[in-house]
Structures are given as structure tokens and as C-alpha cells.
Amino acid sequence: MRSDNVRCGMQQAPHRSLFNALGMTEEEMKKPMVGIVSSYNEIVPGHMNLDKIVEAVKLGVAMAGGTPVVFPAIAVCDGIAMGHVGMKYSLVTRDLIADSTECMALAHQFDALVMVPNCDKNVPGLLMAAARVNIPTVFVSGGPMLAGHVKGQKRSLSSMFEAVGSYAAGTMTEEDVTEFENHVCPTCGSCSGMYTANSMNCLTEALGMGLRGNGTIPAVYSERIKLAKHAGMAVMEMYRRNIRPRDIMTEAAFRNALTMDMALGCSTNSMLHLPAIAHEAGVDLNLDIANEISAKTPNLCHLAPAGPTYMEDLNEAGGIYAVMKEISKKGLLNLDCMTVTGKTVGENIANAVNKNPEVIRPVENPYSQTGGIAILRGNLAPDSAVVKRSAVVAEMLKHEGPARVFDCEEDAIAAIKGGKIVAGDVVVIRYEGPKGGPGMREMLNPTSAIAGMGLGSSVALITDGRFSGASRGASIGHCSPEAAVGGPIAMVEEGDIISIDIDAHKLEVKISDEEMAARKAKWQPREPRVTTGYLARYAALVTSADKGAVLKVPGRD
């Protein structure tokens, strides 16, 4: 056992005295020590139930012969952090979570880990840590929120943000907004659509790192407590068989995850997180393969914000395994990949059934023949940009219009709500990338304002920042290289015509190469917005969005 390094032999007598101080018995010290990484806190609605999940995991570990030991991980609520300086601190926590978990796991020589995350950066951060530490690890999340109900219709957090836009447009009263406010988020859990948190929890199943139902069983269902107990038992079986994260998170597994990403219509943030996780696992996940996979993967699900169904509906329809079973009919999954169940993907999904073809379209009747996410390139984004194609209305798949240029999110929101953006415009928000932000803020407020003001089918938005999984419409993010390093988005001028062709994967500003070069020659870097604290260190080390915004390791990268 790895934990023998801190518990066995005469040299470890001082260590054992400290375990005695914890109240640990001699019997407990002889068993494998399993770290349970708890993301519980009292500020994130998706995490307020994690204390119950952790207790269930502890029972599962103990029942299966291990000694459970809990330690914490931080988490930010993206919804509460949205639209102000707090959003600069969202993406950056992904690396803090990975780093601190690595420190705790290796400093105390745990034999295995159970990760208990739920919301946006917490899941990828812990997946990154799992790949780094590479000891037997199982994930069990806190589960999704139930959908809210307003005026007889299911609703979610994206509806709330759009309601604010509708109020600004004069099409909704203050009383209407209050009704949304009081009913769209009715329970604990990760917000109820296919937003980033739920996308990553679903992809954890697809990667093979979570048990069946991890992505879809609602937070308030007792079934999730049972799942947590089984996760504790499963990690002990992985320990006995020495199945490790890098045995599971192989190149084939990441291709499976990308395929499922396309089928499910996940958040564009998955295009940041999957490459970052793969990087930690020693797998080169080039985003060029995303369009290759998308071209042959049908989009089978339109969950909010792309459509009227929610995570609870996907769960009742058979969950992620049912979607995988549908996709496997086209031979698009590697069924031999190992998973935390100790079985292969093929064995896991053998008996899965699609119980609702309206929620999970059969492969013979998809929403589209191609996947839910598209990678765009062109003279505006030579290193790539990302759009959630499944959430774009048909008339915006191809669009040309004049650039309306803003150097921060706040200025863009003021213009949108002030009625200064009109049909046909292309809103450009720059200097919001990983380095320029710093922190690559999510742009749910401007996209929701555009939708709420009735411009969702006529206005596009392009940024070197990113979008919430709750964003919909022609919202193109991760434009790389970013403005802060002199990317072409920094050269766009007010009124330039921008051409978007999502089906052709093209994103271009209609100026000549000579004009672009001339503007580039005159461009000067801007002074950093933040010069102290963690954000300044982050800005100094972070790479481009197309590389997953991972942090450079001096001397290696």
C-alpha cells in the first residue's frame, strides 16, 4: 500500500502518533486509505448537498474494506460570479483545484481517491488531478437540479438571464421577472440544462471515470445516495485490481468523450476542459479532430438551452448509457475502453435502452447528421474558435454583418441593453481571453441580453472569452490567438464586415491580408488589467484557449 509510507515501520511511529490524534484505530491503519475529495460548501447550490454524498461514499468505502478520509476542494458558482469581476476567478480555480488535490493526495500518500465534485470548474479540475496523481479514482457528482416551472412551462437558469434581457427590452414586467426569480432554480444541484457542469459530469461517464447515472440522476433523488455508496465500493475494487485513471483516460477514451460531446450537444467549455484533462493524462488532444468527429456523429439531444428538455428528462430516458448505445449503432465508440466499473464500455452499455425517442433521438432520426459543437477557423481565428452549433437557429448558421467592437464585456452589455445593437450586427468582445481578461470570463449576460431583446436570430457574438453552457445563439467563443497577444481579433475595427459560416467551419473578417498586416504593425500590447495576486500569476503562465488554457510549466512548455 502507498499509505505504508506514512503508517508502517518504526520510522513511521511519529506519523502513527498523529493518526492516533485523529482517533484512527489500529484496525483502520491496516486498511487502504481512501481520500474523499469533498467540494461541499454553502455558497454553490450544486454543492450544498455534497455533505450527504460524501457520507454515503464513506459508507461505501468502509463496507468494501477501506478507511475513508475526507479533505476539501474549493468551488465557485459561475451563476453568482457572472457579469462582474468575480467571473475572472472561475476558470482559474480549475488549476487551483487540480494543484491542491495533487498536494493533499501525495503529501498524505492515499491509496485511492473518490472525487465528489459538481459544478463547472470543479469537475475538470479534479479530473486533471486524477490524471496527475494516477491512483485508483472514481467520480461521483452531486447531480443536476430539477427544472423549475413558470406559467406551466419547465424553466432553468438560462431563462432567468434571458428574462432580465426581456425586461430591458420592455417585453416583461418586474412582476414577471420576480416570478422567474422565485421558481427557475427549485432545488439544490447543478443547473438543470446541458450547461457546463452537467456536460462535464456526463462526459465523466463517457470517459469511463464515473458510474452509470453520474451525469443525470437528479441531486434530490435518493438514487444518488445509493450511487455514492456504490462509488465507494467501486474504488476499492479498482484498488484491488490496480486500475488507474491513465488506464481509463486513454486517447481512445477521449475520442469517445468527444463523440458523446457531439451527440449530447454539450457546452462549448468542454472544448477547454477535455484538452486540459488530456494534457494531464499525457494525451495530445488536438481540436482539429473535433470537426472530424462531428462530421460523422449525429446530434441526438437538444437539452436546454438548445431545446425544451432537461437533465431529469435525459435521466428518465435512459441517461448517458442510452445515448452511448444509440451512437454505438453507427460504430462510433471504442467499446473496449476500460472504465471504473471494472468492465469495458461495451459491457457497460450492453443492456442500455432508449426509453424516450423524443428526448434521445434514435440515430435514424437525429436533430442533425453532424455534432453539436463546431470548431471554426479563418483569418479572424487562425488557431480556432468554438460554437455550440446545436443551439444556433438555422438562419444564423451563415451570417455576414458589421462588427460592433468592445474591449470589455461591460461596454457590450451597456450597448445591447441601451438599444445600440441592431439586427444584422456582429458584436465583438475582446481582451477577455485567458491572458487578457485575465481569466476568460463567461459571457452569459450579453448572450442572454441579445436573446431577451429578440435579437437571437439576427445578431452574432464573437469573443476571445468564453460562453456559459447556458448561452444559446450564434455565440462564438475561444477566438484564438486572443487579443492580448496580438491575435487578429485585436485588429478588428468598427464596421468591418465579419463573415460566419458555421457549416463550412469559417470565421473571417473581410479585409485584405495587407490591411491586416498594416493594422498588426501599428498594434501595441495593452497594460495588464491585473498586476497583483493569483490572477497576475495566472496571466503570466496561461496558454491559449485552443490549448485548453493550461498553465505553462517553465522549462517544459
Side-chain angles (χ1 to χ4, degrees):
M1 290 189 294
R2 178 190 296 252
S3 59
D4 287 350
N5 292 329
V6 294
R7 294 192 296 184
C8 291
M10 186 55 65
Q11 288 295 320
Q12 278 65 45
H15 306 68
R16 289 195 297 276
S17 70
L18 293 168
F19 282 110
N20 285 329
L22 291 169
M24 193 173 287
T25 67
E26 185 176 340
E27 291 80 3
E28 287 174 296
M29 283 192 242
K30 291 178 180 176
K31 295 176 181 179
M33 189 164 66
V34 180
I36 301 172
V37 187
S38 171
S39 304
Y40 169 77
N41 64 45
E42 294 183 343
I43 188 64
V44 183
H47 289 224
M48 62 181 285
N49 66 320
L50 294 191
D51 54 339
K52 309 296 188 298
I53 303 297
V54 166
E55 288 303 312
V57 171
K58 288 173 67 177
L59 279 172
V61 168
M63 285 190 291
T67 296
V69 180
V70 179
F71 65 88
I74 64 168
V76 163
C77 176
D78 278 26
I80 295 173
M82 193 73 65
H84 55 89
V85 68
M87 183 44 70
K88 294 180 185 289
Y89 287 90
S90 173
L91 178 61
V92 303
T93 65
R94 187 184 70 181
D95 295 275
L96 283 175
I97 291 161
D99 292 349
S100 60
T101 302
E102 173 195 354
C103 291
M104 288 293 289
L106 296 182
H108 301 102
Q109 294 291 283
F110 286 102
D111 297 300
L113 297 169
V114 179
M115 307 294 198
V116 187
N118 209 29
C119 290
D120 293 26
K121 311 310 166 299
N122 203 239
V123 184
L126 290 180
L127 282 164
M128 290 163 69
R132 273 190 216 170
V133 176
N134 201 35
I135 60 176
T137 303
V138 173
F139 277 69
V140 55
S141 75
M145 185 184 292
L146 294 178
H149 291 81
V150 179
K151 301 184 188 302
Q153 290 185 304
K154 284 187 177 181
R155 297 289 189 177
S156 62
L157 185 66
S158 54
S159 308
M160 184 70 252
F161 277 89
E162 290 178 15
V164 175
S166 297
Y167 175 76
T171 58
M172 189 174 281
T173 66
E174 185 175 348
E175 289 74 19
D176 290 332
V177 174
T178 300
E179 185 172 2
F180 272 78
E181 181 181 332
N182 291 329
H183 293 99
V184 297
C185 296
T187 73
C188 62
S190 46
C191 296
S192 56
M194 188 56 83
Y195 310 147
T196 304
N198 291 327
S199 293
M200 294 311 302
N201 281 320
C202 291
L203 294 181
T204 299
E205 277 192 68
L207 266 176
M209 291 296 293
L211 299 178
R212 180 176 191 167
N214 180 64
T216 60
I217 298 171
V220 294
Y221 282 15
S222 298
E223 189 67 25
R224 184 151 290 273
I225 300 296
K226 293 165 67 175
L227 179 73
K229 293 175 184 175
H230 283 130
M233 297 178 203
V235 81
M236 292 307 300
E237 181 62 19
M238 290 180 70
Y239 168 76
R240 283 187 278 271
R241 295 177 57 181
N242 196 29
I243 300 172
R244 301 174 181 235
R246 292 195 187 188
D247 300 326
I248 294 169
M249 290 193 282
T250 61
E251 182 177 355
F254 280 103
R255 290 187 73 96
N256 280 353
L258 272 174
T259 299
M260 287 299 295
D261 196 329
M262 301 302 171
L264 290 164
C266 291
S267 163
T268 51
N269 283 313
S270 63
M271 294 294 105
L272 275 178
H273 300 321
L274 286 176
I277 299 160
H279 177 76
E280 298 292 351
V283 174
D284 181 18
L285 192 63
N286 189 320
L287 286 185
D288 285 336
I289 70 170
N291 283 339
E292 168 206 324
I293 289 174
S294 179
K296 56 189 178 184
T297 305
N299 177 226
L300 305 184
C301 299
H302 266 195
L303 286 91
T309 54
Y310 295 81
M311 296 306 297
E312 62 201 66
D313 302 312
L314 180 58
N315 186 63
E316 296 303 319
I320 301 309
Y321 279 16
V323 183
M324 294 177 80
K325 184 66 174 289
E326 286 288 347
I327 287 295
S328 71
K329 294 176 183 176
K330 292 181 71 72
L332 297 177
L333 294 178
N334 186 317
L335 302 181
D336 296 325
C337 291
M338 179 52 65
T339 72
V340 293
T341 65
K343 298 177 181 178
T344 65
V345 168
E347 291 172 312
N348 285 345
I349 68 174
N351 298 318
V353 175
N354 181 356
K355 301 175 183 177
N356 188 338
E358 296 301 314
V359 175
I360 304 171
R361 290 277 187 95
V363 289
E364 300 83 11
N365 181 36
Y367 283 101
S368 66
Q369 293 293 341
T370 53
I373 288 179
I375 305 297
L376 311 183
R377 292 183 188 273
N379 70 346
L380 187 51
D383 289 345
S384 75
V386 182
V387 64
K388 187 170 182 175
R389 174 168 39 197
S390 59
V392 180
V393 294
E395 53 265 41
M396 289 299 289
L397 290 172
K398 192 170 185 177
H399 179 76
E400 276 194 8
R404 305 298 310 280
V405 183
F406 304 93
D407 288 348
C408 68
E409 178 188 6
E410 288 82 357
D411 290 351
I413 292 171
I416 295 165
K417 291 187 175 179
K420 297 178 181 179
I421 303 301
V422 299
D425 284 349
V426 178
V427 177
V428 176
I429 306 177
R430 61 193 180 188
Y431 295 99
E432 290 284 7
K435 189 177 291 289
M440 203 178 184
R441 289 194 285 181
E442 285 186 344
M443 303 287 169
L444 180 55
N445 273 348
T447 59
S448 298
I450 286 170
M453 297 188 75
L455 297 170
S457 60
S458 59
V459 168
L461 196 156
I462 299 169
T463 182
D464 54 6
R466 61 194 179 91
F467 294 109
S468 165
S471 294
R472 62 187 175 100
S475 304
I476 301 167
H478 309 190
C479 195
S480 302
E482 62 175 292
V485 299
I489 192 172
M491 312 309 151
V492 177
E493 296 181 358
E494 186 82 6
D496 283 347
I497 300 301
I498 292 178
S499 173
I500 301 164
D501 191 335
I502 293 174
D503 286 336
H505 306 117
K506 292 288 186 183
L507 178 62
E508 298 187 330
V509 54
K510 301 187 85 171
I511 61 174
S512 68
D513 293 345
E514 292 76 15
E515 175 63 17
M516 181 69 81
R519 294 181 187 181
K520 174 74 172 176
K522 292 188 292 183
W523 178 82
Q524 293 292 322
R526 300 196 167 207
E527 289 296 317
R529 284 174 169 159
V530 180
T531 57
T532 61
Y534 179 59
L535 286 180
R537 296 197 301 276
Y538 181 88
L541 294 174
V542 71
T543 60
S544 180
D546 66 294
K547 304 294 191 298
V550 298
L551 300 187
K552 292 180 287 189
V553 177
R556 192 187 77 184
D557 295 321

